[in-house]
Amino acid sequence: MSIEFELKLQVPPERSRDIAAALGSAPRQRMRAVYFDSADELLARHHLALRLRKEGREWVQTAKAPGAHGHARLEHNAPLGRAAAVPAVSLQRHAGSVVEKAFRTALGVRDLGDAEPLVARFETDVYRVASEISDSHGNRVEIAFDRGHIRAADASLPVCEIEFECVHGDPAAAVRVARQWAQEHGLWISTASKALRGDLLARGRAIPDATPASQPSLHRHASAVNVVAEMALHALDQVFANASAVGDGCDDADIVHQLRIGLRRLRVVVREFSRCVPGLDTRHEAELAGVFRLLGEHRDRHNLITLIGPRIVADGGPQLDWPTPVGASELSRAVRSQPFQQALLVLLEAATAAAGEGGASRDASARRLVSQRLARLHRALVHDSRRYGQLDEARQHRVRKRLKRLRYVAQLAASLFGRKDVARYLEAAQPLQDALGQYNDELGALDAHRQRARRDTDAMFGQGWLAAQCHVSARACANELARFLRRKPFWP
């Protein structure tokens, strides 16, 4: 029974030999596993995994459930000894363990023995080379390199990944080692476990669902350091989950959008609270901002083609052919790039180290700090609301960014103040958010039409249409901003 901290990175196939050589004379072990689920795939829906794995000659049944963060998993192992065939699977082997509640909830049973029989869904067959290293502080990190395949019926996927697991000591040590290996071998972070990849393969799906934002459960009397670290870790979870798919070559609009949101949330935490956590600072802002802008270009072109263009055509404008959004290969290269990967790993290391420095301090420093930041952003919005119609486009865009920062800080810190109060406040902000978002999209489309109109007269209709629409939308933003700011804030 344990809480596992594990960081997984993808290995370019051409670097496999270098990775194997770096692990030296570590023994190679074949590991074959069968993954099980209910007939209606309840375990996969709840991000749970149950497997039988043969490690050498011994079988082990393992159950895994989500932990506090994406790289922390609850795990329980039940050794089964030697057997010629795959042993029968039994959920009751995990009764009383750290994962029992998660499995009972997912399967809708009071006792694991009451669950419907589970069925085998896919298999993995990998060769693992593992080695353990220690540092001067007594931290021990296991490095495990897996190569092989995942199979479901007649379909298969290759496996070429390396895992860094904290065996003993500070989990940040595993991140530190992973960062060094990533830099040396061109690795990139992936949170797509074998269980997730196998589930997608079994269902005939190429890409996972987009991962939305999550909210941390914060102690009301936690220290500012601990709270800021938790907020950063939750923002990083969203980034890693969606960046994993983009890094694998996915350019699904929802996944790209959620990656942008995750990066914006992460940048907000760093910008607003960088002084609280050593290493969680803006030194890597340029790397994050560069990928964020590229993702924004993809989103803007997608919206122009699928949302705004059809509105113009419906009002009598000509059909324009626009270049496709930034391609999947370009997005993948940007996400896999070492400057971006190193920026994320540095922030993960800082947040992971700070999260383990203690919880409740009963000094209310976190509530006080967050309240100060929210009040400052609120005052800036009040100031801009008095003259929104007279602001130039850049300052109007700044209003939108300030609202987003206020929203993200409020969402991440909701449990410090009471989730219901925060939810009502954010619900009241939704019309303003929608108005500002529509206005921003129209301004971007107007700029695209202006540039195209210089060489294509067919774009002039859209240019005039958008100019008129932007005027209407700006007034709507001013009205919504004044309405929202009349609402009493939830913070003290």
Side-chain angles (χ1 to χ4, degrees), residues 254-303:
D254 288 339
I255 290 177
V256 170
H257 178 57
Q258 290 299 330
L259 177 52
R260 287 187 79 242
I261 291 176
L263 283 172
R264 191 185 289 276
R265 280 159 49 95
L266 177 61
R267 294 169 68 198
V268 165
V269 173
V270 170
R271 177 171 178 169
E272 296 294 330
F273 305 105
S274 60
R275 295 181 180 179
C276 295
V277 176
L280 195 72
D281 51 47
T282 58
R283 285 176 297 170
H284 299 279
E285 169 62 17
E287 289 81 3
L288 301 181
V291 173
F292 183 82
R293 280 193 297 270
L294 188 64
L295 297 168
E297 291 175 18
H298 181 281
R299 178 188 178 277
D300 291 345
R301 186 52 55 88
H302 181 269
N303 284 350

Side-chain angles (χ1 to χ4, degrees), residues 80-399:
L80 304 180
R82 298 186 180 187
V86 178
V89 67
S90 172
L91 280 170
Q92 288 182 295
R93 293 177 179 132
H94 307 291
S97 75
V98 71
V99 301
E100 179 187 10
K101 182 178 179 181
F103 275 76
R104 285 195 289 104
T105 300
L107 297 170
V109 296
R110 292 186 177 182
D111 187 285
L112 292 177
D114 297 332
E116 295 293 327
L118 302 180
V119 295
R121 298 197 62 238
F122 57 90
E123 300 179 4
T124 63
D125 190 354
V126 302
Y127 284 91
R128 169 169 289 184
V129 178
S131 180
E132 188 175 297
I133 62 173
S134 302
D135 63 20
S136 58
H137 301 287
N139 300 307
R140 300 203 313 274
V141 177
E142 182 186 67
I143 306 171
F145 178 37
D146 290 347
R147 282 180 290 181
H149 289 84
I150 303 171
R151 295 187 176 89
D154 296 329
S156 69
L157 286 173
V159 174
C160 190
E161 62 190 33
I162 188 166
E163 300 172 351
F164 300 84
E165 181 179 351
C166 177
V167 178
H168 175 77
D170 182 3
V175 184
R176 189 156 48 250
V177 176
R179 183 158 60 88
Q180 296 166 354
W181 280 66
Q183 181 74 63
E184 183 174 352
H185 299 288
L187 315 178
W188 66 94
I189 307 161
S190 174
T191 58
S193 65
K194 296 181 186 70
L196 173 60
R197 297 180 69 203
D199 174 66
L200 292 172
L201 186 67
R203 289 192 283 155
R205 290 187 53 185
I207 61 173
D209 293 329
T211 300
S214 63
Q215 294 184 12
S217 295
L218 306 171
H219 195 288
R220 287 199 174 205
H221 298 288
S223 68
V225 170
N226 189 259
V227 162
V228 172
E230 291 291 330
M231 291 195 294
L233 287 169
H234 276 75
L236 282 162
D237 281 350
Q238 187 181 13
V239 171
F240 287 137
N242 294 292
S244 298
V246 174
D248 284 341
C250 171
D251 63 349
D252 175 78
D254 288 339
I255 290 177
V256 170
H257 178 57
Q258 290 299 330
L259 177 52
R260 287 187 79 242
I261 291 176
L263 283 172
R264 191 185 289 276
R265 280 159 49 95
L266 177 61
R267 294 169 68 198
V268 165
V269 173
V270 170
R271 177 171 178 169
E272 296 294 330
F273 305 105
S274 60
R275 295 181 180 179
C276 295
V277 176
L280 195 72
D281 51 47
T282 58
R283 285 176 297 170
H284 299 279
E285 169 62 17
E287 289 81 3
L288 301 181
V291 173
F292 183 82
R293 280 193 297 270
L294 188 64
L295 297 168
E297 291 175 18
H298 181 281
R299 178 188 178 277
D300 291 345
R301 186 52 55 88
H302 181 269
N303 284 350
L304 177 60
I305 294 172
T306 63
L307 299 177
I308 294 178
R311 290 172 58 196
I312 295 173
V313 172
D315 277 356
Q319 179 74 52
L320 299 179
D321 292 326
W322 295 93
T324 56
V326 178
S329 59
E330 187 175 355
L331 293 176
S332 177
R333 283 195 300 272
V335 166
R336 292 185 185 186
S337 70
Q338 276 308 299
F340 182 67
Q341 291 291 317
Q342 290 295 314
L344 295 180
L345 285 166
V346 166
L347 295 174
L348 176 63
E349 182 182 341
T352 301
E357 290 183 359
S361 61
R362 307 207 66 83
D363 62 0
S365 62
R367 277 171 56 88
R368 185 167 57 251
L369 175 65
V370 173
S371 295
Q372 290 170 352
R373 296 296 187 272
L374 291 170
R376 186 180 66 185
L377 291 167
H378 186 268
R379 286 195 301 270
L381 287 174
V382 170
H383 179 266
D384 288 339
S385 71
R386 296 169 183 157
R387 54 197 181 98
Y388 185 84
Q390 288 73 50
L391 298 177
D392 59 29
E393 291 179 4
R395 287 183 172 84
Q396 287 178 337
H397 184 57
R398 186 181 63 184
V399 171

Side-chain angles (χ1 to χ4, degrees), residues 15 193 212 293 404 463:
R15 301 304 297 267
S193 65
R293 280 193 297 270
K404 282 183 175 290
Q463 178 181 336

